[in-house]
Amino acid sequence: MVQQVKVYSTPICPWCKKTKQFLDKNGIPYQSFDVASDKAALDEMVSSSKQLSVPVVDINGDILVGFDEEWLRQKLNLPQEEKKVEAIKTPANKCTSGTCAQMDEIKQAVAALRMSKYKCNVCGYVYDPELGDPDRGVKPGTPFDETPDDWVCPVCGSAKSKFDRIEEV
């Protein structure tokens, strides 16, 4: 099976660089996305990982947040190396707002995106997360991506897939 590998990162994140170096060293092709400058990639990263930290590695839909050489080797069918003295799985193996300057900006952008309004392409109804849809059990403050999978437009009955995020100016 061909491995589809995506790496979501920022330019100044040391763990992002370490992840890419590991993949390069092992000859693993991957798609690289800079979430600091690519809003669509940021949206995709948050949607798939539900996380704000980088790096995020997506291997055929399996998600890793941070750098974990053992996990990468297992998912990529690479031979395991002997454990080094340094622990691989530590809270410091991913960039958080305390270690990567851009993470605060990313967190603010993600928070704003999560509370974006969505418009039904069929009838024009606008879902506002601040209001929710209490008549259908969706509490005020519920981001669109957290509405139930079977939630439909209250006006025309269209599925969530018929909604697009509204770009607010």
Side-chain angles (χ1 to χ4, degrees):
M1 174 180 188
V2 175
Q3 301 286 355
Q4 300 263 337
V5 181
K6 297 179 183 178
V7 179
Y8 301 90
S9 62
T10 61
I12 63 170
C13 163
W15 291 104
C16 299
K17 291 175 184 172
K18 188 167 184 165
T19 298
K20 291 177 184 180
Q21 288 169 348
F22 173 83
L23 294 171
D24 290 340
K25 175 182 165 190
N26 286 283
I28 305 295
Y30 60 92
Q31 291 178 282
S32 181
F33 300 94
D34 178 0
V35 298
S37 63
D38 183 342
K39 190 174 181 184
L42 174 64
D43 291 347
E44 186 177 300
M45 178 189 86
V46 172
S47 175
S48 65
S49 71
K50 308 291 188 239
Q51 296 290 317
L52 303 176
S53 300
V54 290
V56 170
V57 181
D58 179 336
I59 301 175
N60 295 334
D62 291 327
I63 304 297
L64 167 66
V65 180
F67 178 78
D68 181 340
E69 185 173 329
E70 185 177 328
W71 187 91
L72 288 169
R73 286 184 177 284
Q74 179 184 0
K75 292 295 177 185
L76 297 168
N77 297 316
L78 298 173
Q80 295 292 331
E81 288 190 349
E82 290 184 34
K83 295 266 184 188
K84 297 182 179 174
V85 176
E86 171 190 355
I88 295 173
K89 279 186 157 180
T90 65
N93 69 351
K94 58 187 174 187
C95 286
T96 62
S97 59
T99 58
C100 284
Q102 292 179 332
M103 289 311 297
D104 284 336
E105 274 183 47
I106 291 172
K107 286 180 182 182
Q108 289 172 358
V110 168
L113 285 172
R114 295 202 68 224
M115 293 309 283
S116 293
K117 295 177 183 177
Y118 282 74
K119 183 177 181 180
C120 177
N121 293 323
V122 177
C123 71
Y125 169 81
V126 175
Y127 175 81
D128 184 341
E130 291 183 15
L131 303 175
D133 186 8
D135 293 341
R136 285 162 192 75
V138 180
K139 296 178 182 176
T142 303
F144 185 78
D145 65 336
E146 290 183 14
T147 58
D149 290 337
D150 61 352
W151 181 85
V152 296
C153 176
V155 174
C156 70
S158 293
K160 285 174 63 173
S161 63
K162 298 294 182 184
F163 282 72
D164 286 322
R165 187 169 55 83
I166 298 173
E167 296 286 335
E168 298 206 36
V169 181

